[in-house]
Amino acid sequence: MKPVRTAARAMLASIFVAGGIRVLLNPDASAATARRVTDRVGPLLEKVDPRIPTDARSLVRIKAVSDVAAGLALATGHFTRPAAALLAAGLVPATVAAGRQDALRNLGLLGGLLLAAVDTEGRPGLRYRTSHAVDRSQRSMRRAVRSAKRDARIAAMSASAARRLPG
């Protein structure tokens, strides 16, 4: 399953790496499309921190850099779950900005990214491991209590028997 998973991640990441590089080389083409979203988000970003760039060209370049970095991380198998989550989060405003023309394609990409974001590669997830660790520790504690009670009974019987012996 590992070769299939590796190939699928590389194929999924390739569109983001290639698209990010294309936008970095020519950000003005994408900035015009992104203005639908950046004009609404810009005032909110200014309220959060005035140092954050709010113009469409800068925001498109920031997204392109994050797409390339996260795409490379996903393709190489490093930080795959956070990288997929970052790409999925960036895909939502891109879909809104692009409108109907890329909506279905982006919806398919979003589905693949969501699968990659929750993929544990066949290993149990954190929730499973935590709940099972709690169960194991509770069982271990119950065994220890039973063992301590049994040892206490044996010690009490030994002490009682020792008192009855002469001498």
Side-chain angles (χ1 to χ4, degrees), residues 45 90 110 129:
L45 291 174
L110 183 61
R129 290 187 308 218

Side-chain angles (χ1 to χ4, degrees), residues 2-153:
K2 182 137 173 95
V4 173
R5 186 176 275 120
T6 303
R9 283 185 184 149
M11 287 185 266
L12 182 60
S14 66
I15 194 165
F16 294 99
V17 173
I21 291 171
R22 182 180 40 79
V23 170
L24 284 173
L25 294 175
N26 185 11
D28 295 325
S30 297
T33 307
R35 280 201 181 82
R36 283 188 229 167
V37 175
T38 59
D39 289 345
R40 287 186 245 156
V41 176
L44 297 174
L45 291 174
E46 286 177 350
K47 288 180 183 177
V48 172
D49 190 351
R51 295 175 295 180
I52 297 174
T54 57
D55 62 298
R57 189 171 194 268
S58 296
L59 291 174
V60 163
R61 291 174 81 193
I62 291 169
K63 183 189 177 311
V65 168
S66 72
D67 281 356
V68 170
L72 289 173
L74 182 64
T76 59
H78 294 88
F79 304 106
T80 55
R81 294 176 72 188
L86 178 65
L87 290 170
L91 192 58
V92 173
T95 303
V96 171
R100 294 182 185 183
Q101 62 187 16
D102 289 335
L104 193 56
R105 177 188 67 116
N106 287 354
L107 189 62
L109 287 172
L110 183 61
L113 289 170
L114 291 176
L115 283 174
V118 298
D119 181 27
T120 59
E121 298 182 19
R123 293 184 299 255
L126 184 61
R127 185 180 201 186
Y128 175 89
R129 290 187 308 218
T130 324
S131 67
H132 279 70
V134 168
D135 290 343
R136 282 192 306 274
S137 65
Q138 288 174 346
R139 278 192 306 249
S140 176
M141 188 176 66
R142 284 192 295 266
R143 278 194 300 269
V145 167
R146 281 194 305 263
S147 177
K149 285 181 181 178
R150 185 181 64 240
D151 291 347
R153 277 194 305 263

